[in-house]
C-alpha cells in the first residue's frame, strides 16, 4: 500500500481523464445547476472529481476511498479551494459502504468501480440512490471487436469483466438503469 500511496498521492488524478471529462459527464448525466444534490464520490482517490463537482454544482459530497492518505490530500485540497464545508471524506471500502438506503441523488465513480467489478458495483450501489437518482461511472471497455490476442489474454486475466461499451450498457439495463449518455475516455 505504501508504494501505491507514494506513487499516486501527489498526482491530481489516480487514473485517466481530467476536468473536461468530469464536466462532460455532469452534462451527459443531465444534472441541473440549480438543484442541490447529495453526491457520493466512490473511489475518489485524492479527489479530483469531487473538487470539480463542488466547483460546478450546488452539492454536498461524501468522498469515499479506502486510503486515508488520499483522503488527507483531498481534505487539504478542499480547504484550499474553500470547499471543506461541502466535501466530507469517508475512509471505507467501496464493497462495504455504510450508507443508508435511498440517501444519495448521485453516485459518482471515475476509474474505480472495476475494483469490485462493474456488475457487482452497479447492483450493490443501486440501493443508495434516491428515486430518480443518477449513477455516473467510468469503466474499462474494449473500443473494437478486433484486438491482439496478447492484449486480450492480459485483460482476461486482469479483469475478466472487460467488454464492449454496448455490452456494458446491457448490464446497466438488466440492473434497472436507463443509460443517459456515454463517451469514450482515452488515456
Amino acid at each position: 500500500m505504501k508504494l501505491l500511496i507514494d506513487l499516486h498521492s501527489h498526482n491530481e488524478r489516480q487514473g485517466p481523464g481530467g476536468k473536461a471529462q468530469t464536466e462532460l459527464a455532469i452534462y451527459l448525466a443531465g444534472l441541473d445547476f440549480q438543484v442541490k444534490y447529495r453526491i457520493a464520490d466512490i473511489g475518489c482517490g485524492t479527489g479530483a472529481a469531487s473538487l470539480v463537482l463542488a466547483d460546478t454544482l450546488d452539492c454536498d459530497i461524501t468522498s469515499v476511498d479506502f486510503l486515508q492518505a488520499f483522503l488527507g490530500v483531498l481534505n487539504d485540497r478542499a480547504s484550499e479551494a474553500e470547499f471543506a464545508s461541502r466535501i466530507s471524506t469517508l475512509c471505507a471500502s467501496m464493497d462495504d459502504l455504510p450508507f443508508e438506503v435511498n440517501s444519495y441523488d448521485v453516485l459518482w465513480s471515475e476509474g474505480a468501480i472495476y475494483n469490485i467489478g462493474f456488475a457487482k458495483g452497479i447492483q450493490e450501489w443501486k440501493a443508495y440512490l434516491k428515486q430518480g437518482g443518477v449513477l455516473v461511472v467510468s469503466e474499462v471497455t474494449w473500443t473494437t471487436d478486433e484486438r491482439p490476442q496478447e492484449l486480450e489474454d492480459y485483460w482476461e486475466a486482469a479483469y475478466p469483466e472487460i467488454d464492449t461499451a454496448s455490452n456494458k450498457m446491457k448490464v446497466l439495463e438488466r440492473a434497472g438503469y436507463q443509460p443517459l449518455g456515454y463517451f469514450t475516455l482515452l488515456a
Side-chain angles (χ1 to χ4, degrees), residues 39-50:
I39 300 174
D41 183 3
I42 304 169
C44 67
T46 58
S50 293

Side-chain angles (χ1 to χ4, degrees), residues 29-141:
L31 300 180
D32 186 336
F33 300 105
Q34 305 303 313
V35 173
K36 175 85 170 181
Y37 292 106
R38 186 162 186 233
I39 300 174
D41 183 3
I42 304 169
C44 67
T46 58
S50 293
L51 294 167
V52 174
L53 291 164
D55 190 43
T56 306
L57 298 169
D58 184 9
C59 58
D60 292 314
I61 304 168
T62 303
S63 300
V64 182
D65 204 276
F66 77 105
L67 293 172
Q68 186 59 52
F70 285 177
L71 297 175
V73 172
L74 172 54
N75 284 329
D76 291 344
R77 290 177 178 169
S79 291
E80 186 177 300
E82 299 183 3
F83 297 138
S85 66
R86 297 193 301 128
I87 296 175
S88 61
T89 57
L90 173 65
C91 190
S93 175
M94 66 175 59
D95 63 352
D96 189 25
L97 295 167
F99 297 158
E100 293 181 24
V101 173
N102 303 318
S103 56
Y104 288 93
D105 303 296
V106 179
L107 298 179
W108 198 276
S109 185
E110 288 188 38
I113 196 169
Y114 75 91
N115 286 294
I116 63 168
F118 183 75
K120 179 180 178 181
I122 64 169
Q123 192 62 48
E124 287 184 6
W125 297 351
K126 188 175 183 183
Y128 307 128
L129 279 174
K130 293 178 183 177
Q131 181 73 25
V134 177
L135 172 72
V136 179
V137 297
S138 60
E139 169 69 340
V140 60
T141 57

Side-chain angles (χ1 to χ4, degrees), residues 118-119 121-124 126 135 168-178:
F118 183 75
I122 64 169
Q123 192 62 48
E124 287 184 6
K126 188 175 183 183
L135 172 72
K168 293 293 181 169
M169 295 295 175
K170 291 174 187 171
V171 173
L172 284 166
E173 290 171 343
R174 282 193 299 270
Y177 292 94
Q178 179 182 350

